[in-house]
Amino acid sequence: MPDRPTGTVTFLFTDIEGSTALWEKYPEAMQSALARHDAILRAAVESHHGHVVKMRGDGIHAAFAAASDALASAVAIQRTLLANAWGEIDSLRVRCALHTGAVEEREGDYFGPPVNRAARLLSCGHGGQILLSLATQELTRDHLPEKISLRDLGEHRLKDLIRPERIFQVIAPDLPPNFPPLVTLDSRPNNLPAQTTPLVGREKELASVEQLVMRQDVRLVTLSGPGGTGKTRLGVQVAADLLDRFEHGAYFVNLAPVRDPALVVFTIAQTLGVRERGEASLTENLNAFLRGKQIFLLLDNFEQVVSAAPLIADLLAASAQLKILATSREILRLRGEHEYPVPPLALPDAKHLPSAERLAEYAAVALFVQRALAVQPDFAITDQNARAVAEICVRLDGLPLAIELAAARCKLLSPPAILARLASRLALLTSGARDLPARHQTLRDAIAWSYDLLDGGERDLFARLAVFVGGCTVQAAEAVCGADLPLDVLRGVESLVDKSLLRLQEGKGGESRVQILETIREFALEKLEASPSRIVRQEHANFFRRLAEQAEPNLTGAEQASWLEQLGQDHDNLRAALAWFFENGETEAGAEMAAALWQFWRVRGYFTEARQWLGRGIQSGCALAMALRAKLLNAAGSLARLQGEHAQAQRYLQECLALRRGLGDRPGVADTLNALGILAQAQGDYRHAQQRFEEGLALRRELGDRAGAAIVMGNLGVALQNQGDRVRAAELYAESLSIKRELGDKVGIVVTLINLGSIALVAEESAKAQKLFSESLQLARELGDKQNIGTSLNCLGNVALLRGDVIQGRLCHSESLSLFQQLGYKEGIAWGLEGMAAVAGAERQANRGVRLYGAAQAFRDAACLPLMPGDRAVYDAQFAVTRTQLDDEAFEAAWAEGRAMTLDQAIVYALEEAESQ
């Protein structure tokens, strides 16, 4: 079979006319009939050098390198279908359409405008008919089979609305020659505007809106959304697609120029050609015209005449077959109205981008590429610009108008240069096409159009809400924005949502969150800065300081998961509040807030950021209360230890301990003793660590602090395990786990499960270890505890290797190494490199394994991270598997090569090698 065609391809699309009715009437007969139908079509395509791209529903999508082969295949299909007997079904009437164009081919499918145009051409035809576009006719007219000709059916407007298409019908002696008129935009009365570009990335929305409009119980649908979301373009396409369902036509009513609600009746009547006659009013004449007619009205830009909404209700009441689709930034608030919020275009995840080839599958990127090609014909997504294009689309919230305006800049700027200038979106995104409405020629105008329709109180609230970064809860909006506002915040939020300037989304905890697109927020920030904004910013900072302090005692208890989630949702707001305090001289408030948040940052893996905020308090030079300074030092020291900066951690924690002893702060002393014990353990001083833990445990028990005692028990168990006393360690772990489960301390449960699993792993009790580590991983994922997700994965990787499952071992170790690298968790990075070395040894890739072991050891030496005795047994067993595969000379050479690698080189080497397997 020839290779799949690429470049310029001729498509053959088919489907069965009236298949839905056939299935309802002959369900059993249709099953066997469809199987025969599929076999006939597939055979006809493949026997004429074509490729079946997909069997879709009751039709086929096929691709041909030669247009003449596609034509011959279509004729063969119709002849074979006519020659077959179909029993009680009588006949299967299949329509065929052929169109040729340049497309992209990816992963067995085709992408590009020609695919969509072929589908539109198919929708024009009738069962038994073969239609060709002008492009395909040009390629086949001089190579037609004997006795076959092409009938010119003239130019017709297809439902893609781009341009008229000259359509041809195949005429053959044994095929029916006559059919009803083509089902095109010309077949029903309409005034739908032609479009200069195809609709991109709205397949799902089109299907949903069309299904909603055609429901019998739905008469009015409103497409809502902020300026620039593509409401009008979507609405026009819906009207085109549904045109053949409305006997008396579909009409586009442009209300954008209308500001007087009283003129809405006149505008609709003028569009439909209705005039005043006799003594009846224009409204009465319009109702009389609509009565009994199947008409579809698209009322575009209804927001500035929304007070005319009762008229729409009157029109619907007067005509039972009338359907109305409105586009509006504000819903009409009529009974029976169905709102459809038009979402932004689909976006890639900027943190985990697909390949450059697959990036254009995202609708936002596809639109950028399409519009960029219009100004720079050789534009393409490459490995060099893919990230910039994706980030542009993300920064612009997937708003079609914003993306189009940005892509237009490709004539002068590269995507990275455009991205660099997007710090001020509104200044960059100007100079739209002259044939766009004035409000859409710049993004600022599009947003201002909506803003100008707000009343004074709504404008104030809109500006104040810009203080929130990443959205907020309704409760936060009321607390921060409510002072001296001339309207109720809740009602104001509802109104701004109705007007598409805000969005309500359900947060992970079930509470609604107010969201504002960043492109719109930038406009609102300008309005906020033009007002006395300091009061609002102070209220914002105070609110989130209170939230942090309220969360602090709950970050180690039964409610920790929900509090971690809440802080995670508002992390950007917390950052903004911290910045406000430190930048406006309120250092003590900022320091208190940072100290309250450090456990959140630790669990979620924001080590470096946390140390920066804590450091601003420590280094402020102002007279902080000693208790607060001690709290900052304890947090910063613990985080420095996690990042392998032991000397800094020692200085912070020793100063903290001295301060707390001087203050008589016994709970604080116990905290710092625990932190110093963990630090000593990380430095390999297990005896000193044990002493710190035992002193701290005694103090916890004196204080009656069961939660704190459970934490110290686990750490003491680690110190004992590293000194060879696994029995006593296991007892402490078990006691600690029992208390933590009772108290609901999920973070503590994760750590203790890992500790228990490590003992089972050393004892080669793989099933028990697997169970413990799996539970720890599940809990860590629920909490978003990145450090312990990585640790659990690393441990599971070791279990997999013990059980001989090398593939699973590689997956776990590579994921954990990547995660530890992101966190900057140095001990974890060493574990990850050693884990990947063990995988290489298990795969009999000894040279690679030894290089990675050498790189890991060099990193440990440089970072002063000795291998803990508790980890030594697993390490030695895995290392031996690799070492025995090489003689001394080869081992020394590979070891030296690994030690010579930089850390970045070693990580890239480990992960690249893993991915290439």
Side-chain angles (χ1 to χ4, degrees):
M1 179 176 291
D3 293 337
R4 183 185 300 273
T6 58
T8 299
V9 175
T10 297
F11 292 101
L12 167 61
F13 281 19
T14 77
D15 68 5
I16 301 173
E17 185 178 58
S19 61
T20 301
L22 291 173
W23 275 105
E24 290 177 356
K25 191 173 181 179
Y26 310 108
E28 294 184 5
M30 275 296 289
Q31 288 186 12
S32 60
L34 192 61
R36 270 199 296 153
H37 159 277
D38 290 352
I40 290 168
L41 267 62
R42 185 178 291 275
V45 168
E46 293 177 351
S47 64
H48 290 88
H49 315 294
H51 289 259
V52 176
V53 180
K54 63 183 76 170
M55 302 295 296
R56 192 166 184 176
D58 56 5
I60 195 169
H61 291 189
F64 296 79
S68 56
D69 288 336
L71 175 59
S73 176
V75 172
I77 286 171
Q78 296 291 20
R79 284 173 170 165
T80 307
L81 291 171
L82 284 171
N84 270 260
W86 299 97
E88 62 179 328
I89 294 175
D90 187 28
S91 66
L92 284 184
R93 294 176 53 80
V94 171
R95 53 186 176 178
C96 301
L98 293 92
H99 178 58
T100 306
V103 290
E104 294 181 43
E105 191 268 336
R106 296 192 303 270
E107 299 181 0
D109 205 350
Y110 293 90
F111 300 88
V115 179
N116 299 327
R117 201 139 179 96
R120 294 298 182 189
L121 183 60
L122 179 68
S123 68
C124 298
H126 302 278
Q129 194 171 30
I130 304 174
L131 299 178
L132 280 69
S133 67
L134 177 61
T136 307
Q137 183 265 353
E138 291 283 352
L139 294 170
T140 57
R141 65 183 183 181
D142 296 328
H143 308 283
L144 294 173
E146 187 178 356
K147 297 184 180 180
I148 289 181
S149 61
L150 300 178
R151 177 183 294 170
D152 188 345
L153 301 181
E155 282 197 345
H156 295 266
R157 293 180 64 211
L158 302 184
K159 294 180 181 180
D160 61 9
L161 296 164
I162 303 302
R163 64 180 186 277
E165 178 70 60
R166 198 165 197 87
I167 299 176
F168 298 83
Q169 178 189 320
V170 173
I171 302 297
D174 46 354
L175 297 181
N178 298 318
F179 297 92
L182 297 178
V183 183
T184 65
L185 291 183
D186 309 298
S187 63
R188 293 272 196 251
N190 75 91
N191 69 336
L192 300 181
Q195 303 295 310
T196 57
T197 56
L199 182 64
V200 175
R202 290 301 194 187
E203 293 81 4
K204 179 181 177 182
E205 289 82 1
L206 267 176
S208 297
V209 176
E210 289 170 10
Q211 184 178 23
L212 180 61
V213 168
M214 293 312 299
R215 276 174 39 188
Q216 286 190 347
D217 61 323
V218 174
R219 306 281 310 287
L220 170 64
V221 175
T222 301
L223 301 181
S224 63
T229 50
K231 300 182 296 296
T232 298
R233 184 66 179 88
L234 178 62
V236 171
Q237 192 63 59
V238 169
D241 287 354
L242 299 181
L243 180 59
D244 58 324
R245 309 284 190 93
F246 293 87
E247 180 182 353
H248 300 98
Y251 293 90
F252 175 82
V253 182
N254 182 17
L255 296 174
V258 181
R259 288 299 178 117
D260 183 352
L263 295 177
V264 171
V265 172
F266 173 80
T267 306
I268 296 174
Q270 184 181 48
T271 301
L272 295 174
V274 176
R275 294 178 174 81
E276 292 187 67
R277 290 189 178 89
E279 297 181 356
S281 68
L282 183 60
T283 300
E284 291 170 334
N285 282 323
L286 179 59
N287 286 336
F289 173 83
L290 292 171
R291 193 170 295 117
K293 288 187 173 69
Q294 287 184 320
I295 286 182
F296 180 94
L297 288 184
L298 172 58
L299 306 182
D300 191 46
N301 286 284
F302 207 90
E303 58 270 1
Q304 79 276 8
V305 288
V306 74
S307 60
L311 163 70
I312 306 307
D314 293 341
L315 293 179
L316 292 167
S319 176
Q321 299 185 77
L322 172 67
K323 297 236 180 189
I324 294 177
L325 178 66
T327 73
S328 179
R329 304 182 196 196
E330 179 178 359
I331 60 174
L332 279 57
R333 293 188 174 276
L334 294 175
R335 286 183 300 170
E337 178 183 19
H338 289 71
E339 181 187 9
Y340 186 90
V342 178
L345 294 173
L347 292 165
D349 181 348
K351 295 180 180 178
H352 303 94
L353 288 182
S355 64
E357 293 77 16
R358 296 197 60 190
L359 196 57
E361 295 177 21
Y362 290 90
V365 177
L367 179 62
F368 185 95
V369 171
Q370 182 196 84
R371 299 303 191 260
L373 284 168
V375 297
Q376 186 182 349
D378 60 347
F379 180 84
I381 294 183
T382 65
D383 291 337
Q384 289 70 41
N385 68 19
R387 176 166 293 279
V389 171
E391 290 188 8
I392 288 168
C393 294
V394 171
R395 292 273 291 276
L396 297 178
D397 300 309
L399 280 177
L401 174 61
I403 291 169
E404 290 183 13
L405 293 172
R409 293 291 184 181
C410 285
K411 187 173 184 177
L412 298 175
L413 301 172
S414 67
I418 294 172
L419 179 62
R421 293 167 183 252
L422 276 182
S424 177
R425 300 168 179 84
L426 300 182
L428 177 69
L429 304 180
T430 61
S431 302
R434 288 192 177 93
D435 60 346
L436 282 173
R439 68 187 183 282
H440 279 178
Q441 291 191 22
T442 76
L443 187 60
R444 185 188 304 277
D445 291 338
I447 300 170
W449 174 272
S450 293
Y451 179 79
D452 291 343
L453 298 175
L454 304 179
D455 63 31
E458 290 172 333
R459 291 183 184 185
D460 285 347
L461 177 58
F462 174 65
R464 294 182 189 190
L465 286 169
V467 75
F468 293 100
V469 189
C472 65
T473 62
V474 174
Q475 176 191 7
E478 290 177 317
V480 173
C481 302
D484 301 322
L485 194 70
L487 82 164
D488 177 74
V489 171
L490 181 59
R491 290 186 178 180
V493 166
E494 290 176 344
S495 178
L496 291 174
V497 170
D498 288 345
K499 293 174 170 63
S500 302
L501 286 168
L502 299 179
R503 293 186 297 172
L504 281 182
Q505 293 183 338
E506 185 175 325
K508 292 187 179 178
E511 184 176 8
S512 293
R513 287 184 65 81
V514 179
Q515 297 285 346
I516 182 169
L517 295 176
E518 280 301 306
T519 42
I520 296 175
R521 179 173 175 266
E522 185 175 325
F523 182 93
L525 273 173
E526 291 181 359
K527 301 301 180 183
L528 179 64
E529 295 305 328
S531 67
S533 64
R534 184 177 181 85
I535 296 173
V536 177
R537 292 191 180 279
Q538 188 71 55
E539 288 296 328
H540 175 272
N542 290 340
F543 178 87
F544 285 101
R545 176 188 171 190
R546 292 192 296 271
L547 177 68
E549 292 171 348
Q550 186 181 1
E552 183 182 14
N554 294 294
L555 293 178
T556 55
E559 300 299 319
Q560 64 190 166
S562 62
W563 278 101
L564 286 168
E565 187 58 49
Q566 184 170 348
L567 293 179
Q569 289 187 117
D570 275 312
H571 196 186
D572 288 332
N573 281 312
L574 295 165
R575 288 165 168 151
L578 283 163
W580 171 262
F581 285 132
F582 283 119
E583 291 168 8
N584 287 273
E586 299 187 40
T587 304
E588 186 168 351
E592 288 174 347
M593 185 175 176
L597 288 170
W598 89 270
Q599 288 283 13
F600 161 70
W601 284 321
R602 181 192 66 77
V603 171
R604 289 298 174 91
Y606 298 104
F607 300 160
T608 300
E609 179 181 355
R611 291 179 64 192
Q612 290 172 347
W613 290 119
L614 295 164
R616 291 180 76 165
I618 293 170
Q619 298 161 14
S620 64
C622 66
L624 292 180
M626 285 194 295
L628 175 56
R629 180 172 178 82
K631 193 174 179 181
L632 293 169
L633 289 166
N634 190 79
S638 298
L639 291 165
R641 187 266 309 166
L642 280 171
Q643 293 193 300
E645 297 182 22
H646 294 160
Q648 180 74 284
Q650 188 78 34
R651 287 194 295 272
Y652 280 156
L653 293 174
Q654 289 290 8
E655 181 184 349
C656 176
L657 184 62
L659 284 173
R660 284 177 163 173
R661 287 196 193 279
L663 290 167
D665 178 7
R666 298 177 75 205
V669 168
D671 275 343
T672 309
L673 286 170
N674 186 60
L676 282 164
I678 296 172
L679 176 60
Q681 190 150 250
Q683 295 171 307
D685 188 350
Y686 308 114
R687 178 68 62 184
H688 189 206
Q690 180 181 344
Q691 292 171 358
R692 294 290 196 185
F693 292 139
E694 287 176 341
E695 182 184 355
L697 181 58
L699 188 52
R700 295 285 190 189
R701 284 173 169 158
E702 288 175 18
L703 293 167
D705 181 3
R706 294 181 70 229
I711 293 171
V712 182
M713 283 178 201
N715 292 330
L716 178 57
V718 174
L720 292 170
Q721 183 180 347
N722 281 315
Q723 296 175 77
D725 190 351
R726 293 178 192 149
V727 174
R728 177 62 181 144
E731 291 173 352
L732 284 166
Y733 294 153
E735 185 178 357
S736 173
L737 182 62
S738 176
I739 295 171
K740 288 172 179 175
R741 287 197 190 278
E742 178 187 338
L743 297 176
D745 178 8
K746 291 185 178 180
V747 172
I749 292 170
V750 169
V751 173
T752 311
L753 288 168
I754 291 171
N755 290 335
L756 282 167
S758 68
I759 290 181
L761 182 61
V762 170
E764 297 190 356
E765 298 174 354
S766 62
K768 182 177 180 181
Q770 176 85 20
K771 181 179 179 182
L772 291 164
F773 293 140
S774 294
E775 184 182 353
S776 72
L777 178 61
Q778 179 182 348
L779 273 176
R781 289 199 190 278
E782 289 177 11
L783 293 166
D785 184 346
K786 294 181 181 179
Q787 178 192 346
N788 282 316
I789 290 172
T791 304
S792 299
L793 284 166
N794 188 273
C795 293
L796 282 167
N798 288 331
V799 173
L801 293 178
L802 177 63
R803 303 173 79 171
D805 189 347
V806 180
I807 294 176
Q808 185 64 28
R810 185 193 318 120
L811 291 173
C812 289
H813 279 305
S814 61
E815 185 179 348
S816 69
L817 175 57
S818 296
L819 191 51
F820 288 141
Q821 181 190 22
Q822 293 171 21
L823 296 176
Y825 180 32
K826 293 184 178 180
E827 188 167 25
I829 291 171
W831 292 338
L833 289 172
E834 289 157 356
M836 294 306 298
V839 170
E843 293 176 324
R844 311 301 292 178
Q845 297 182 21
N847 277 306
R848 176 177 156 248
V850 172
R851 289 189 193 102
L852 289 171
Y853 276 124
Q857 188 58 54
F859 178 57
R860 283 189 179 279
D861 293 344
C864 299
L865 289 169
L867 186 69
M868 291 189 182
D871 298 328
R872 173 62 68 179
V874 173
Y875 176 94
D876 287 346
Q878 292 176 340
F879 182 81
V881 172
T882 308
R883 176 66 183 85
T884 55
Q885 297 175 44
L886 297 177
D887 59 30
D888 290 347
E889 183 178 354
F891 173 81
E892 293 297 337
W895 184 265
E897 289 170 6
R899 289 191 64 89
M901 290 182 181
T902 66
L903 178 60
D904 287 343
Q905 287 172 338
I907 293 172
V908 168
Y909 178 65
L911 295 176
E912 283 184 348
E913 289 290 334
E915 290 169 2
S916 68
Q917 300 305 310

